[in-house]
Amino acid sequence: MDYFQAIAFLVLLLLAWGFAAQIQQPNLVFILADDFGWNDVSFHGSKQIPTPNLDALAFSGLILQNYYVTPLCTPSRSALMTGKHPIHTGMQHDVLYGYSRYGLPLSETTLPDHLKLLGYKNHIVGKWHLGHYKSVYTPLHRGFDSHYGYWTGHQDYYDHTAVEWNAWGYDMRRNNSVDWSAYGKYTTTILTDEARDVITKHDVSSPLFLYIAHLAVHSANPYSPLQAPEETVKMFSNIEDLQRRRYAAMVHELDVSVGKIVKALGDKNMLQNTVIVFSSDNGGPAAGFNQNAASNWPLKGVKNTPWEGGVRAAGVVWSPLIPEDRRGRVMSNLMDISDWLPTLFEAAGGDVASLKGLDGVSHWSTILYDKPSARHHVLHNIDDKLGYAAIRKKKWKLVKGTTYGGSWDGWYGPSGRMNDSCIHSFNSIDDAGPIEKKNDAGRYISRLGISVIDNLNQLLKDAKIKCGERPVDAHACLPLDAPCLFDIDQDPCEYNNLAEKLPDIANDLLDLLNWYNATAVAPLNTQPDPMSNPKYWNYTFTNWADFE
């Protein structure tokens, strides 16, 4: 390159830099609920537990109708952070416990690692659950600039202790230091206040990535599994079942949190250039599973099962960047939780072609312009230790094996529809007033000139899953005996097993499962390490292996 070519190249580089500087990168806010049921948002049609703040995002954004996660929290979180399926990172089996001597492999580049290269400031508030036996596995070493929250999988909502196996200890931290001042304060409130503080203090000269991983609505410890402020529980006195009533209060507190986060973004003048994602990490634990009271109605199964109720998640993406004619719609293309890494990376201005070795695909052009999606199938999971696998290709789903010997392979309510006896008097989805004027999200979205009630009736219709009555003559599915095949478009509740009727399609999906299984790495799970017990570390969960 001669002198004049070098000067020309430098001029072009400066022009490109100046153009890029004029394009403001969006703030990215990812809100992950824990163990949230498909039927526990009112935008899916249930009126038992109103979620007006989530509804406001859904009605002015995009409802993700065929959005999938894995059946458990650690595998889903690993997929979110890496853009890879858990079978390719060793995170596919069970969850990571406080005693585990492993974590998300250090060889993996995380979503915040990628975003940091694009100039983002990255903060996590809430649950990590991807390893802590050594500090190098914790958030500050995985791309985040700060972390307020906990390292393990659950905790008491007030004293912030976790009971795991024969161990008990405190788990609430600011970065790497234990935060004893949180004791006695409600977890959802603490995490919400912390998220608002991150937003308020953010230097807007850099774009923000804020990952809020709530405890809600996961069960707490077995001696008091469902917890919420008593004044909130009393709001749902019409719900006869006490556990469901407490669960409803937990959902309400989560929904209020969403509204407060939207408000904080609005007060900081950041909302107009923000992408907000709401997702669950897996299906809801219904009917007493994990001592919880979620509802996936009308879907089959619960958390940690391969059925739609275990892997189909409530999901919303919202942003003023979505063109006006695209807002307030149902996005029906297949999407997997591993897709968020490339999707948000592209939204942030990154070149998706530079991301290598991912299972996830970007949906940013689909979100903005309804362009065809690159995803045609979703691997729900392969867990050879538990002996099950499930995959969906276009409209067809194959289930091979199951969990718990099939004891949780049923359909669980409540439905929360008008024929139920326990309908809340506050109808958040049929009355425009509460949506636009009585909740923070609706009020602040409306200030941007974005309506949350356009085409409302059609949107509610499109967002509902309709299965009808279970056919008496349906072909039985016994997945422990033989794989089952379902047409999910026509049979989302997995009533009618078509494997015998359509063996060629079933075999095609079996071949696809076998191909994936040949690429899987061994699960990383370890036996309990006695030295992990919090009793050796001032009754706190800690990075014990660093002190050996």
Side-chain angles (χ1 to χ4, degrees), residues 40 73 178 193 204 253 363 370:
D40 293 326
C73 38
V178 177
D193 290 345
V204 295
E253 292 295 328
H363 295 263
D370 200 23

Side-chain angles (χ1 to χ4, degrees), residues 69-73 76 281-283 303-306 310-311 380-381 388:
V69 292
T70 76
L72 281 173
C73 38
S76 284
D281 62 343
N282 45 249
K303 169 185 178 177
N304 201 22
T305 70
V311 297
H380 298 311
N381 200 21
Y388 84 89

Side-chain angles (χ1 to χ4, degrees), residues 37-355:
W38 170 269
N39 192 43
D40 293 326
V41 283
S42 41
F43 65 75
H44 277 160
S46 174
K47 300 176 183 178
Q48 187 184 53
I49 310 175
T51 52
N53 289 285
L54 285 169
D55 291 352
L57 293 176
F59 297 154
S60 57
L62 292 173
I63 298 173
L64 308 177
Q65 191 74 349
N66 285 290
Y67 169 52
Y68 288 95
V69 292
T70 76
L72 281 173
C73 38
T74 294
S76 284
R77 290 160 204 269
S78 71
L80 172 63
M81 285 292 108
T82 65
K84 295 182 180 181
H85 196 277
I87 66 165
H88 294 145
T89 59
M91 308 295 281
Q92 69 268 44
H93 175 67
D94 205 356
V95 299
L96 195 150
Y97 294 99
Y99 61 64
S100 301
R101 286 186 68 97
Y102 76 99
L104 184 69
L106 300 179
S107 57
E108 297 297 333
T109 304
T110 66
L111 173 57
D113 284 331
H114 289 293
L115 292 176
K116 185 167 286 189
L117 295 176
L118 299 177
Y120 276 75
K121 299 299 182 182
N122 304 314
H123 304 273
I124 172 175
V125 174
K127 175 174 169 176
W128 176 235
H129 210 199
L130 289 174
H132 67 268
Y133 83 101
K134 291 185 176 181
S135 63
V136 291
Y137 288 91
T138 59
L140 297 190
H141 297 271
R142 307 312 300 265
F144 288 102
D145 298 303
S146 74
H147 175 219
Y148 185 85
Y150 54 106
W151 288 348
T152 55
H154 77 282
Q155 62 173 223
D156 185 276
Y157 281 76
Y158 289 98
D159 69 27
H160 313 300
T161 64
V163 175
E164 290 194 357
W165 300 89
N166 295 319
W168 172 86
Y170 188 83
D171 188 17
M172 188 64 85
R173 290 177 176 269
R174 181 172 299 282
N175 299 322
N176 290 325
S177 300
V178 177
D179 178 23
W180 296 103
S181 71
Y183 183 86
K185 301 173 185 175
Y186 191 61
T187 300
T188 305
T189 302
I190 295 173
L191 300 184
T192 303
D193 290 345
E194 184 67 24
R196 294 165 66 191
D197 194 53
V198 168
I199 294 166
T200 300
K201 294 179 179 177
H202 177 65
D203 181 351
V204 295
S205 63
S206 299
L208 169 70
F209 171 51
L210 175 57
Y211 171 38
I212 306 157
H214 272 289
L215 171 62
V217 285
H218 197 290
S219 302
N221 293 321
Y223 50 80
S224 181
L226 300 180
Q227 300 176 323
E230 282 304 314
E231 60 270 22
T232 309
V233 176
K234 291 176 182 177
M235 292 171 54
F236 295 90
S237 59
N238 57 300
I239 299 179
E240 294 181 4
D241 181 82
L242 177 58
Q243 295 300 89
R244 181 66 177 172
R245 192 186 316 155
R246 290 191 177 279
Y247 180 86
M250 294 161 72
V251 172
H252 175 81
E253 292 295 328
L254 175 63
D255 184 73
V256 169
S257 169
V258 171
K260 289 182 176 180
I261 291 165
V262 172
K263 179 180 184 297
L265 290 165
D267 289 341
K268 186 71 173 180
N269 293 319
M270 293 168 61
L271 187 61
Q272 65 272 22
N273 188 42
T274 294
V275 178
I276 300 175
V277 177
F278 175 84
S279 170
S280 180
D281 62 343
N282 45 249
F289 185 93
N290 281 9
Q291 297 179 281
N292 209 296
S295 173
N296 301 311
W297 191 93
L299 301 176
K300 181 178 182 177
V302 297
K303 169 185 178 177
N304 201 22
T305 70
W307 311 106
E308 292 293 284
V311 297
R312 195 166 184 163
V316 170
V317 58
W318 177 93
S319 178
L321 303 178
I322 300 172
E324 185 176 357
D325 62 350
R326 285 281 293 151
R327 299 174 196 150
R329 294 178 181 270
V330 169
M331 196 170 95
S332 59
N333 60 282
L334 287 177
M335 188 173 186
D336 181 69
I337 191 169
S338 65
D339 296 335
W340 286 117
L341 188 151
T343 299
L344 296 178
F345 184 74
E346 183 175 1
D351 179 8
V352 176
S354 68
L355 302 175

